[in-house]
Amino acid sequence: MLPLCVAGYLMGSISSAILVCRLFGYPDPRTEGSNNPGATNVLRIGGKPAAALTLLGDVLKGVVPVVLAHYLGMGPFVAALVGTFAFLGHLFPVFFHFQGGKGVATAFGLLFALHWPSGLVAGVVWLLVFALTRISSLASLSAFVVAPACIFAWLPQAFWPMLALSLVMILRHRSNLQKLLRGEELGFRKKD
């Protein structure tokens, strides 16, 4: 189990946002926009193609460790734990001075690979909240308040790692929560 967790962490430490921005010649996402190396900020900095590549890379960081754990015969608890380590790698990447993103795409990848119905419910929550508010952070937080409840109902063996992931995600979004409370959070407005 420990080697799988270490492998998950190392995979999560590969920053798609930083690598994609370097590839496209864009500024380091840790120093532009929201200063967050994630797909949402890459969208602000460089547009849709760069953001799509970042999103794909971040999602795969959650999917691959969970699929690998399943392939090696590990149960839901270990698979969720290995995926959570990939999520932690995204947040605190050893290859990039422990300055990572918020982990939403990686968490969604983990969730869909672990139990796709829970991923689907969390995804629908994300879409609904984003459609109503156009604020990605609020949509993400809402989705990962719902995710542990879905896992508890449908795959209880994986509940504790998913709860831990969700709590860490909420803590990671504390600055966004403060901005939301002040009405200063960056959103995506529909063009007239």
Side-chain angles (χ1 to χ4, degrees), residues 37-87:
T40 302
N41 198 33
V42 172
L43 179 61
R44 288 188 188 103
I45 295 167
K48 291 179 182 178
L53 274 177
T54 301
L55 183 65
L56 177 63
D58 288 349
V59 168
L60 287 174
K61 290 192 301 189
V63 170
V64 172
V66 173
V67 170
L68 180 61
H70 283 311
Y71 177 76
L72 294 174
M74 302 296 163
F77 175 82
V78 173
L81 191 62
V82 171
T84 299
F85 270 86
F87 168 78

Short mmCIF file of all heavy atoms in Angstrom, two decimals, residues 37-87:
data_model
loop_
_atom_site.label_atom_id
_atom_site.label_comp_id
_atom_site.label_asym_id
_atom_site.label_seq_id
_atom_site.Cartn_x
_atom_site.Cartn_y
_atom_site.Cartn_z
N PRO A 37 -2.00 27.27 -9.96
CA PRO A 37 -1.65 26.43 -11.12
C PRO A 37 -2.70 25.36 -11.38
O PRO A 37 -2.52 24.19 -11.06
CB PRO A 37 -0.29 25.84 -10.73
CG PRO A 37 -0.29 25.81 -9.25
CD PRO A 37 -1.14 26.97 -8.81
N GLY A 38 -3.81 25.79 -11.93
CA GLY A 38 -4.91 24.88 -12.26
C GLY A 38 -5.55 25.29 -13.57
O GLY A 38 -5.25 26.35 -14.14
N ALA A 39 -6.46 24.47 -14.05
CA ALA A 39 -7.08 24.68 -15.37
C ALA A 39 -7.87 25.99 -15.44
O ALA A 39 -7.84 26.67 -16.47
CB ALA A 39 -7.98 23.50 -15.72
N THR A 40 -8.55 26.36 -14.36
CA THR A 40 -9.34 27.59 -14.38
C THR A 40 -8.46 28.81 -14.60
O THR A 40 -8.78 29.70 -15.39
CB THR A 40 -10.14 27.74 -13.07
OG1 THR A 40 -10.98 26.59 -12.91
CG2 THR A 40 -11.00 28.98 -13.09
N ASN A 41 -7.32 28.84 -13.90
CA ASN A 41 -6.42 29.98 -14.06
C ASN A 41 -5.73 29.95 -15.42
O ASN A 41 -5.50 31.00 -16.02
CB ASN A 41 -5.39 30.02 -12.93
CG ASN A 41 -4.73 31.38 -12.81
OD1 ASN A 41 -5.35 32.40 -13.06
ND2 ASN A 41 -3.47 31.38 -12.44
N VAL A 42 -5.40 28.76 -15.92
CA VAL A 42 -4.80 28.66 -17.25
C VAL A 42 -5.79 29.16 -18.31
O VAL A 42 -5.39 29.80 -19.28
CB VAL A 42 -4.33 27.21 -17.55
CG1 VAL A 42 -3.89 27.07 -19.00
CG2 VAL A 42 -3.19 26.82 -16.62
N LEU A 43 -7.07 28.91 -18.10
CA LEU A 43 -8.10 29.44 -19.00
C LEU A 43 -8.05 30.96 -19.02
O LEU A 43 -8.11 31.58 -20.09
CB LEU A 43 -9.49 28.95 -18.58
CG LEU A 43 -10.68 29.44 -19.40
CD1 LEU A 43 -10.57 28.99 -20.85
CD2 LEU A 43 -11.98 28.96 -18.78
N ARG A 44 -7.90 31.57 -17.86
CA ARG A 44 -7.81 33.03 -17.79
C ARG A 44 -6.55 33.54 -18.49
O ARG A 44 -6.57 34.56 -19.16
CB ARG A 44 -7.78 33.49 -16.32
CG ARG A 44 -9.08 33.35 -15.59
CD ARG A 44 -8.99 34.03 -14.21
NE ARG A 44 -10.18 33.73 -13.44
CZ ARG A 44 -10.24 32.84 -12.47
NH1 ARG A 44 -9.17 32.17 -12.11
NH2 ARG A 44 -11.36 32.62 -11.83
N ILE A 45 -5.44 32.82 -18.29
CA ILE A 45 -4.14 33.28 -18.81
C ILE A 45 -3.99 33.03 -20.30
O ILE A 45 -3.56 33.90 -21.05
CB ILE A 45 -2.98 32.58 -18.06
CG1 ILE A 45 -2.97 32.99 -16.59
CG2 ILE A 45 -1.64 32.89 -18.69
CD1 ILE A 45 -2.06 32.12 -15.73
N GLY A 46 -4.35 31.81 -20.73
CA GLY A 46 -4.00 31.40 -22.08
C GLY A 46 -5.12 30.95 -22.98
O GLY A 46 -4.89 30.70 -24.16
N GLY A 47 -6.32 30.77 -22.45
CA GLY A 47 -7.43 30.37 -23.30
C GLY A 47 -7.76 28.89 -23.25
O GLY A 47 -7.16 28.12 -22.50
N LYS A 48 -8.70 28.50 -24.10
CA LYS A 48 -9.31 27.17 -24.02
C LYS A 48 -8.37 26.01 -24.34
O LYS A 48 -8.39 25.00 -23.63
CB LYS A 48 -10.55 27.12 -24.90
CG LYS A 48 -11.68 27.96 -24.37
CD LYS A 48 -12.90 27.92 -25.28
CE LYS A 48 -14.01 28.81 -24.74
NZ LYS A 48 -15.18 28.84 -25.62
N PRO A 49 -7.56 26.06 -25.41
CA PRO A 49 -6.71 24.89 -25.70
C PRO A 49 -5.75 24.54 -24.56
O PRO A 49 -5.62 23.38 -24.18
CB PRO A 49 -5.95 25.30 -26.97
CG PRO A 49 -6.81 26.34 -27.62
CD PRO A 49 -7.46 27.08 -26.48
N ALA A 50 -5.09 25.56 -24.01
CA ALA A 50 -4.16 25.33 -22.90
C ALA A 50 -4.91 24.83 -21.67
O ALA A 50 -4.43 23.93 -20.97
CB ALA A 50 -3.40 26.62 -22.58
N ALA A 51 -6.08 25.40 -21.41
CA ALA A 51 -6.87 24.98 -20.25
C ALA A 51 -7.34 23.54 -20.41
O ALA A 51 -7.35 22.76 -19.45
CB ALA A 51 -8.06 25.91 -20.06
N ALA A 52 -7.74 23.16 -21.64
CA ALA A 52 -8.21 21.79 -21.88
C ALA A 52 -7.09 20.78 -21.65
O ALA A 52 -7.32 19.71 -21.05
CB ALA A 52 -8.75 21.67 -23.30
N LEU A 53 -5.88 21.09 -22.12
CA LEU A 53 -4.75 20.19 -21.88
C LEU A 53 -4.42 20.09 -20.39
O LEU A 53 -4.13 19.00 -19.88
CB LEU A 53 -3.51 20.70 -22.63
CG LEU A 53 -3.36 20.27 -24.08
CD1 LEU A 53 -2.11 20.92 -24.68
CD2 LEU A 53 -3.27 18.76 -24.19
N THR A 54 -4.48 21.20 -19.70
CA THR A 54 -4.24 21.22 -18.25
C THR A 54 -5.27 20.37 -17.53
O THR A 54 -4.94 19.55 -16.67
CB THR A 54 -4.27 22.66 -17.71
OG1 THR A 54 -3.28 23.43 -18.39
CG2 THR A 54 -4.01 22.70 -16.22
N LEU A 55 -6.53 20.56 -17.90
CA LEU A 55 -7.62 19.81 -17.29
C LEU A 55 -7.45 18.31 -17.51
O LEU A 55 -7.58 17.51 -16.57
CB LEU A 55 -8.96 20.28 -17.85
CG LEU A 55 -10.21 19.63 -17.26
CD1 LEU A 55 -10.35 19.99 -15.79
CD2 LEU A 55 -11.45 20.08 -18.03
N LEU A 56 -7.12 17.92 -18.73
CA LEU A 56 -6.92 16.51 -19.04
C LEU A 56 -5.79 15.93 -18.18
O LEU A 56 -5.94 14.84 -17.59
CB LEU A 56 -6.60 16.33 -20.52
CG LEU A 56 -6.30 14.90 -20.98
CD1 LEU A 56 -7.50 14.00 -20.77
CD2 LEU A 56 -5.85 14.89 -22.44
N GLY A 57 -4.67 16.63 -18.11
CA GLY A 57 -3.55 16.15 -17.31
C GLY A 57 -3.91 16.02 -15.84
O GLY A 57 -3.56 15.02 -15.19
N ASP A 58 -4.63 17.01 -15.32
CA ASP A 58 -5.00 16.98 -13.90
C ASP A 58 -6.01 15.86 -13.60
O ASP A 58 -5.92 15.22 -12.55
CB ASP A 58 -5.56 18.34 -13.47
CG ASP A 58 -4.47 19.41 -13.37
OD1 ASP A 58 -3.28 19.04 -13.42
OD2 ASP A 58 -4.83 20.59 -13.23
N VAL A 59 -6.96 15.65 -14.49
CA VAL A 59 -7.93 14.57 -14.30
C VAL A 59 -7.23 13.21 -14.31
O VAL A 59 -7.48 12.36 -13.45
CB VAL A 59 -9.04 14.63 -15.37
CG1 VAL A 59 -9.88 13.36 -15.36
CG2 VAL A 59 -9.94 15.84 -15.16
N LEU A 60 -6.33 13.02 -15.26
CA LEU A 60 -5.62 11.74 -15.36
C LEU A 60 -4.79 11.44 -14.12
O LEU A 60 -4.62 10.28 -13.74
CB LEU A 60 -4.74 11.71 -16.61
CG LEU A 60 -5.49 11.56 -17.93
CD1 LEU A 60 -4.53 11.69 -19.11
CD2 LEU A 60 -6.24 10.23 -17.99
N LYS A 61 -4.29 12.49 -13.45
CA LYS A 61 -3.54 12.28 -12.22
C LYS A 61 -4.39 11.66 -11.13
O LYS A 61 -3.88 11.00 -10.23
CB LYS A 61 -2.95 13.60 -11.71
CG LYS A 61 -1.84 14.15 -12.57
CD LYS A 61 -1.09 15.27 -11.92
CE LYS A 61 -1.95 16.46 -11.57
NZ LYS A 61 -1.14 17.61 -11.13
N GLY A 62 -5.69 11.87 -11.18
CA GLY A 62 -6.61 11.24 -10.24
C GLY A 62 -7.07 9.87 -10.69
O GLY A 62 -7.24 8.95 -9.89
N VAL A 63 -7.25 9.73 -12.00
CA VAL A 63 -7.76 8.47 -12.56
C VAL A 63 -6.73 7.35 -12.47
O VAL A 63 -7.01 6.25 -11.99
CB VAL A 63 -8.21 8.67 -14.03
CG1 VAL A 63 -8.50 7.32 -14.69
CG2 VAL A 63 -9.41 9.58 -14.12
N VAL A 64 -5.53 7.61 -12.95
CA VAL A 64 -4.52 6.55 -13.12
C VAL A 64 -4.17 5.85 -11.81
O VAL A 64 -4.16 4.61 -11.77
CB VAL A 64 -3.27 7.10 -13.85
CG1 VAL A 64 -2.15 6.06 -13.86
CG2 VAL A 64 -3.63 7.51 -15.28
N PRO A 65 -3.90 6.57 -10.71
CA PRO A 65 -3.57 5.85 -9.47
C PRO A 65 -4.71 4.95 -8.97
O PRO A 65 -4.45 3.85 -8.47
CB PRO A 65 -3.28 6.97 -8.47
CG PRO A 65 -2.92 8.15 -9.29
CD PRO A 65 -3.73 8.02 -10.54
N VAL A 66 -5.95 5.41 -9.10
CA VAL A 66 -7.09 4.62 -8.65
C VAL A 66 -7.26 3.38 -9.52
O VAL A 66 -7.46 2.26 -9.02
CB VAL A 66 -8.38 5.47 -8.64
CG1 VAL A 66 -9.61 4.61 -8.33
CG2 VAL A 66 -8.26 6.60 -7.63
N VAL A 67 -7.16 3.56 -10.83
CA VAL A 67 -7.26 2.42 -11.75
C VAL A 67 -6.13 1.43 -11.49
O VAL A 67 -6.35 0.20 -11.48
CB VAL A 67 -7.26 2.91 -13.22
CG1 VAL A 67 -7.11 1.74 -14.18
CG2 VAL A 67 -8.54 3.69 -13.52
N LEU A 68 -4.94 1.93 -11.24
CA LEU A 68 -3.80 1.06 -10.95
C LEU A 68 -4.03 0.27 -9.67
O LEU A 68 -3.77 -0.94 -9.61
CB LEU A 68 -2.52 1.89 -10.84
CG LEU A 68 -1.23 1.11 -10.55
CD1 LEU A 68 -0.95 0.11 -11.66
CD2 LEU A 68 -0.06 2.08 -10.39
N ALA A 69 -4.55 0.93 -8.64
CA ALA A 69 -4.85 0.23 -7.38
C ALA A 69 -5.88 -0.86 -7.60
O ALA A 69 -5.74 -1.98 -7.08
CB ALA A 69 -5.32 1.23 -6.33
N HIS A 70 -6.93 -0.55 -8.37
CA HIS A 70 -7.95 -1.57 -8.69
C HIS A 70 -7.32 -2.73 -9.46
O HIS A 70 -7.59 -3.90 -9.18
CB HIS A 70 -9.10 -0.96 -9.51
CG HIS A 70 -10.07 -0.16 -8.71
ND1 HIS A 70 -10.65 -0.61 -7.55
CD2 HIS A 70 -10.58 1.08 -8.93
CE1 HIS A 70 -11.48 0.30 -7.08
NE2 HIS A 70 -11.45 1.34 -7.89
N TYR A 71 -6.49 -2.40 -10.43
CA TYR A 71 -5.84 -3.42 -11.26
C TYR A 71 -4.98 -4.36 -10.41
O TYR A 71 -4.89 -5.55 -10.68
CB TYR A 71 -5.00 -2.74 -12.34
CG TYR A 71 -4.23 -3.70 -13.22
CD1 TYR A 71 -4.87 -4.42 -14.22
CD2 TYR A 71 -2.86 -3.90 -13.01
CE1 TYR A 71 -4.16 -5.31 -15.02
CE2 TYR A 71 -2.15 -4.78 -13.81
CZ TYR A 71 -2.80 -5.49 -14.81
OH TYR A 71 -2.10 -6.37 -15.59
N LEU A 72 -4.36 -3.81 -9.38
CA LEU A 72 -3.51 -4.61 -8.50
C LEU A 72 -4.31 -5.33 -7.41
O LEU A 72 -3.73 -5.94 -6.51
CB LEU A 72 -2.43 -3.73 -7.87
CG LEU A 72 -1.40 -3.16 -8.86
CD1 LEU A 72 -0.47 -2.18 -8.16
CD2 LEU A 72 -0.61 -4.29 -9.52
N GLY A 73 -5.64 -5.25 -7.49
CA GLY A 73 -6.50 -5.99 -6.58
C GLY A 73 -6.79 -5.31 -5.26
O GLY A 73 -7.28 -5.96 -4.33
N MET A 74 -6.50 -4.03 -5.16
CA MET A 74 -6.75 -3.31 -3.92
C MET A 74 -8.25 -2.97 -3.81
O MET A 74 -8.92 -2.74 -4.81
CB MET A 74 -5.93 -2.02 -3.86
CG MET A 74 -4.43 -2.25 -3.97
SD MET A 74 -3.82 -3.19 -2.57
CE MET A 74 -2.25 -3.74 -3.20
N GLY A 75 -8.73 -2.91 -2.59
CA GLY A 75 -10.13 -2.57 -2.35
C GLY A 75 -10.39 -1.09 -2.44
O GLY A 75 -9.47 -0.28 -2.64
N PRO A 76 -11.66 -0.69 -2.23
CA PRO A 76 -12.03 0.72 -2.35
C PRO A 76 -11.30 1.65 -1.39
O PRO A 76 -10.97 2.78 -1.77
CB PRO A 76 -13.53 0.72 -2.05
CG PRO A 76 -13.98 -0.66 -2.34
CD PRO A 76 -12.83 -1.55 -2.02
N PHE A 77 -11.04 1.20 -0.17
CA PHE A 77 -10.35 2.07 0.79
C PHE A 77 -8.94 2.41 0.30
O PHE A 77 -8.55 3.58 0.27
CB PHE A 77 -10.26 1.40 2.17
CG PHE A 77 -9.45 2.21 3.15
CD1 PHE A 77 -10.03 3.28 3.83
CD2 PHE A 77 -8.12 1.91 3.40
CE1 PHE A 77 -9.29 4.03 4.72
CE2 PHE A 77 -7.37 2.66 4.29
CZ PHE A 77 -7.96 3.73 4.96
N VAL A 78 -8.19 1.39 -0.12
CA VAL A 78 -6.82 1.63 -0.59
C VAL A 78 -6.83 2.45 -1.88
O VAL A 78 -6.04 3.37 -2.05
CB VAL A 78 -6.05 0.30 -0.78
CG1 VAL A 78 -4.69 0.54 -1.44
CG2 VAL A 78 -5.87 -0.40 0.56
N ALA A 79 -7.75 2.12 -2.79
CA ALA A 79 -7.84 2.87 -4.05
C ALA A 79 -8.12 4.34 -3.77
O ALA A 79 -7.49 5.23 -4.37
CB ALA A 79 -8.92 2.27 -4.94
N ALA A 80 -9.04 4.62 -2.84
CA ALA A 80 -9.36 6.01 -2.49
C ALA A 80 -8.17 6.68 -1.81
O ALA A 80 -7.89 7.86 -2.05
CB ALA A 80 -10.58 6.05 -1.58
N LEU A 81 -7.44 5.93 -0.98
CA LEU A 81 -6.28 6.48 -0.29
C LEU A 81 -5.17 6.84 -1.27
O LEU A 81 -4.57 7.92 -1.19
CB LEU A 81 -5.78 5.48 0.75
CG LEU A 81 -4.73 5.98 1.74
CD1 LEU A 81 -5.30 7.12 2.59
CD2 LEU A 81 -4.26 4.84 2.62
N VAL A 82 -4.91 5.93 -2.22
CA VAL A 82 -3.88 6.19 -3.24
C VAL A 82 -4.27 7.42 -4.08
O VAL A 82 -3.44 8.28 -4.36
CB VAL A 82 -3.68 4.94 -4.13
CG1 VAL A 82 -2.80 5.25 -5.33
CG2 VAL A 82 -3.08 3.80 -3.31
N GLY A 83 -5.54 7.50 -4.44
CA GLY A 83 -6.02 8.68 -5.18
C GLY A 83 -5.90 9.95 -4.37
O GLY A 83 -5.56 11.02 -4.90
N THR A 84 -6.15 9.86 -3.07
CA THR A 84 -6.02 11.03 -2.19
C THR A 84 -4.57 11.49 -2.12
O THR A 84 -4.29 12.70 -2.08
CB THR A 84 -6.58 10.71 -0.79
OG1 THR A 84 -7.97 10.38 -0.92
CG2 THR A 84 -6.43 11.89 0.15
N PHE A 85 -3.63 10.54 -2.16
CA PHE A 85 -2.22 10.93 -2.18
C PHE A 85 -1.87 11.64 -3.49
O PHE A 85 -1.06 12.57 -3.50
CB PHE A 85 -1.31 9.72 -1.93
CG PHE A 85 -1.01 9.52 -0.48
CD1 PHE A 85 -1.86 8.79 0.32
CD2 PHE A 85 0.13 10.08 0.09
CE1 PHE A 85 -1.60 8.61 1.68
CE2 PHE A 85 0.41 9.92 1.44
CZ PHE A 85 -0.46 9.17 2.25
N ALA A 86 -2.48 11.23 -4.60
CA ALA A 86 -2.28 11.94 -5.87
C ALA A 86 -2.82 13.37 -5.75
O ALA A 86 -2.20 14.33 -6.22
CB ALA A 86 -2.95 11.19 -7.01
N PHE A 87 -3.98 13.51 -5.12
CA PHE A 87 -4.58 14.82 -4.87
C PHE A 87 -3.63 15.69 -4.03
O PHE A 87 -3.40 16.86 -4.34
CB PHE A 87 -5.92 14.61 -4.16
CG PHE A 87 -6.54 15.83 -3.57
CD1 PHE A 87 -7.20 16.75 -4.36
CD2 PHE A 87 -6.49 16.06 -2.19
CE1 PHE A 87 -7.79 17.89 -3.80
CE2 PHE A 87 -7.07 17.18 -1.63
CZ PHE A 87 -7.72 18.10 -2.43
#
